Amino acid sequence: MPKVLPEYKEEAKKRIIAAGVEVMCEKGYSQTTMEDIAAHLGVSKGALYLYFKSKEDLIIESARNMQLHLSQLRMMQMATSPMRTPIDVWTEILDNLLPFDPRINRLYFELVAITERNPEINKISAKNLADEIEMIEHEIASLQQKRQVRADADPRTIAVAMISIFNGLRLMNIFGVDRNEIRKRWIDVGRIMLGIKD
């Protein structure tokens, strides 16, 4: 059996993860099979098992990759230009992190439900959430020190509220609320929470 180069193996895993997410967005996690993902890629089901033991393993690796993606977005946002206002950054968070494709948001909530039954996915999801809260809390505290946002609110409370509202907007997207409406409400809430007046 020929030896697989590590670079090729990593690229193949990325392609399988991307295909898995695409198929799951279409069919849902519970309705998707490894056969579906293999067919989408034009390979045999056995080829997938060279990289992942099961669909669940594929999901776990997808969650890890999502964390890496979020970390990269975080780094970009933290390197903000001094010309950008806090509300600009607030709006970019929505635009960068909320996929406005209802299929992706439906899959997100389906996977959230799975965390209750899967300790590994639960652990990754809990870490992702803790990292998000910490990042936002730090950013709010930094803006408070610069006197760019209200100083009378606890940064952690704002961070938790922001994530809660963000996930509520995901649901609104699933229910068909227009993207522009979601974006407008996000900006309005941001102004209130950050204490920014026009």
Side-chain angles (χ1 to χ4, degrees):
M1 181 172 187
K3 187 175 178 180
V4 176
L5 295 172
E7 304 83 35
Y8 175 77
K9 187 173 183 175
E10 285 309 307
E11 187 57 37
K13 282 178 85 168
K14 287 179 187 173
R15 287 186 59 224
I16 294 168
I17 289 168
V21 170
E22 278 183 47
V23 175
M24 285 182 241
C25 281
E26 286 297 323
K27 297 184 78 169
Y29 173 79
S30 57
Q31 297 299 314
T32 298
T33 65
M34 291 295 266
E35 290 90 351
D36 295 329
I37 297 167
H40 186 77
L41 284 166
V43 300
S44 70
K45 181 172 75 166
L48 298 185
Y49 288 111
L50 294 173
Y51 301 93
F52 299 99
K53 289 186 283 186
S54 65
K55 181 174 69 169
E56 203 166 77
D57 281 349
L58 193 150
I59 284 297
I60 289 167
E61 194 62 34
S62 297
R64 285 193 183 108
N65 279 5
M66 179 58 75
Q67 176 61 21
L68 178 62
H69 175 68
L70 291 175
S71 295
Q72 290 167 343
L73 281 173
R74 250 188 249 122
M75 295 307 286
M76 285 172 27
Q77 283 166 346
M78 291 178 108
T80 51
S81 148
M83 300 302 289
R84 288 171 44 220
T85 68
I87 208 67
D88 291 336
V89 175
W90 180 268
T91 305
E92 284 178 21
I93 289 169
L94 181 80
D95 291 341
N96 288 333
L97 299 180
L98 178 65
F100 282 97
D101 182 342
R103 297 169 313 148
I104 295 171
N105 290 319
R106 281 192 299 269
L107 178 60
Y108 170 80
F109 283 109
E110 190 176 359
L111 296 178
V112 166
I114 291 168
T115 64
E116 181 66 26
R117 295 181 297 278
N118 185 306
E120 184 67 23
I121 294 175
N122 188 301
K123 182 178 166 184
I124 293 167
S125 298
K127 176 157 182 15
N128 290 354
L129 179 61
D131 288 350
E132 288 299 311
I133 291 171
E134 185 179 326
M135 184 272 301
I136 296 165
E137 180 181 3
H138 173 73
E139 198 61 32
I140 298 296
S142 173
L143 291 170
Q144 285 175 329
Q145 288 176 348
K146 296 174 191 170
R147 298 178 185 214
Q148 292 181 315
V149 300
R150 67 188 302 168
D152 63 336
D154 173 53
R156 187 168 185 84
T157 300
I158 293 175
V160 170
M162 179 182 168
I163 290 170
S164 301
I165 293 165
F166 186 84
N167 282 321
L169 293 175
R170 279 181 185 263
L171 276 175
M172 289 175 71
N173 179 245
I174 290 171
F175 297 144
V177 175
D178 179 66
R179 174 189 176 123
N180 293 325
E181 170 82 4
I182 290 171
R183 199 168 188 273
K184 179 181 181 342
R185 298 306 162 205
W186 175 255
I187 292 168
D188 290 346
V189 167
R191 289 184 189 285
I192 294 165
M193 287 175 59
L194 299 175
I196 297 171
K197 300 196 176 8
D198 291 328

